[in-house]
Amino acid sequence: MILTPRAKFRLFLFSVFVSFLACTNPLSPTYEFKEGMIYIDGFVGTTEGSSYVNITESDVALYYRNIFVSGAKVAFVNEITGERVALFEEDFRYIPEEINFKGNVGERWYLEASLPNGTTYLSEVETINPSVPIKSISAVFDNELEFSEDYDDYIPGHEVLISFDDPGNQDNYYYWRYKTYDQPSICQVCVEGRFRDGICIPDGTVEYYTYWCESDCWQIDYGDNINIFSDSFSNGTTTTSLPVAQVPLTRKTRVLVEIQQFSLTPKAYEYYRTIKDLVDNNGGFNAPLPAALIGNIYNPEDPDEYVLGRFTAASAFTESIMIDRTTVEASPIENQRTPKPEPPPTAGGPHFLYAPCNESRHRTSIRPEGWID
């Protein structure tokens, strides 16, 4: 019997599934690594900065890894109005060129991505549904917040907890992301160099120089944990003190933690639940991707191609909390570089001490909403 490519792929997925069911002994599962598989993860949210697209391709040259696909033409398309929102590359992902872009409840969006090899991928249309509000928010410090493989130890930090009233007239699926804002004093570090005209000019005679922020500046960091919740056993009740974010003690500064609570569709929830299982149990995002990650993205020119990933459009309710980390006795996990300003020139002339707070995904001079001096 000759199997079609689709049948072969289904047989492969079935064999992996059966192997998981049959594993009653504590043995590590085995995988058949696939090279050249495209993984697209896209998201349109109703808050600024929550929308993005990530495109990777599997590679098994030396070991299994997912390589970021650069040079793609990516856009969000509003099905109702025809509006196209172009995205550009930054920090190994694609983000909207309109820095203030955000979706709105009721809008219908889909994703279009054209890769450098000429292949174009589309997603099914996603409708943005209303979100559920956060009722209260709090934070507690824990010397052993979570285990970090990078440090091979438990690291300190704050756990953020929320309460909310779950609507009883529907099934609800929640997904939380967070980002933090804190104020760095140093805006530029030039290793073996000096800061001139917006860049570090090489100078092998110095170890490094640091440059103070010339204006108010906030460093923006993003959480990488996946926190999801289904109301299967709590429909219509009030959920209290639910942990939704773990914020490591990276710096002993005051920090604003912004929690985004998204309302997902059942299919989107299953997708993120699969990713969470993958990250928590199988060694991170570079682990082999399971079949459940085949979502709503497809190749219109090749219906037999399996595209991993998903495009999701969801509304968010945002709540923030200020945390004072300056009085915490534990040591931060990041080694802070000792300030070393450039000395004044011996022959006179300008003294270079400051660097601008350049707007980016990780830095802003715009005071974040909720910041308390």
Side-chain angles (χ1 to χ4, degrees), residues 19-30:
S19 69
F20 282 130
L21 290 180
C23 285
T24 57
N25 296 322
L27 299 176
S28 298
T30 58

Side-chain angles (χ1 to χ4, degrees), residues 342-355:
E342 183 179 337
T346 56
H351 187 191
F352 297 92
L353 290 173
Y354 300 94

Side-chain angles (χ1 to χ4, degrees), residues 163-231:
S163 300
F164 59 92
D165 294 327
D166 181 79
N169 58 347
Q170 61 188 27
D171 295 330
N172 292 282
Y173 304 90
Y174 301 92
Y175 168 46
W176 293 276
R177 294 211 306 254
Y178 79 87
K179 57 183 175 179
T180 62
Y181 297 85
D182 66 342
Q183 289 189 296
S185 57
I186 296 172
C187 270
Q188 185 67 52
V189 177
C190 289
V191 178
E192 295 187 348
R194 301 169 186 264
F195 190 67
R196 299 291 187 273
D197 299 322
I199 60 174
C200 289
I201 304 298
D203 184 348
T205 66
V206 300
E207 181 184 2
Y208 71 89
Y209 284 133
T210 59
Y211 298 84
W212 309 111
C213 296
E214 65 181 14
S215 65
D216 286 342
C217 192
W218 284 267
Q219 175 76 25
I220 309 172
D221 292 316
Y222 299 82
D224 54 10
N225 290 338
I226 295 176
N227 289 283
I228 54 176
F229 181 76
S230 166
D231 69 351

Side-chain angles (χ1 to χ4, degrees), residues 266-288:
K267 289 184 178 179
Y269 172 79
E270 287 302 316
Y271 168 76
Y272 284 105
R273 186 175 66 84
T274 301
I275 290 184
K276 179 174 176 60
D277 290 342
L278 174 68
V279 173
D280 291 349
N281 301 320
N282 291 305
F285 282 108
N286 277 329

Side-chain angles (χ1 to χ4, degrees), residues 327-350:
T327 60
V328 173
E329 294 183 0
S331 299
I333 61 176
E334 290 187 1
N335 295 323
Q336 304 301 302
R337 191 180 291 272
T338 302
K340 187 179 179 181
E342 183 179 337
T346 56

Side-chain angles (χ1 to χ4, degrees), residues 351-370:
H351 187 191
F352 297 92
L353 290 173
Y354 300 94
C357 180
N358 294 322
E359 295 291 329
S360 71
R361 183 171 177 264
H362 290 281
R363 187 164 289 178
T364 183
S365 60
I366 301 172
R367 182 188 181 93
E369 185 177 352

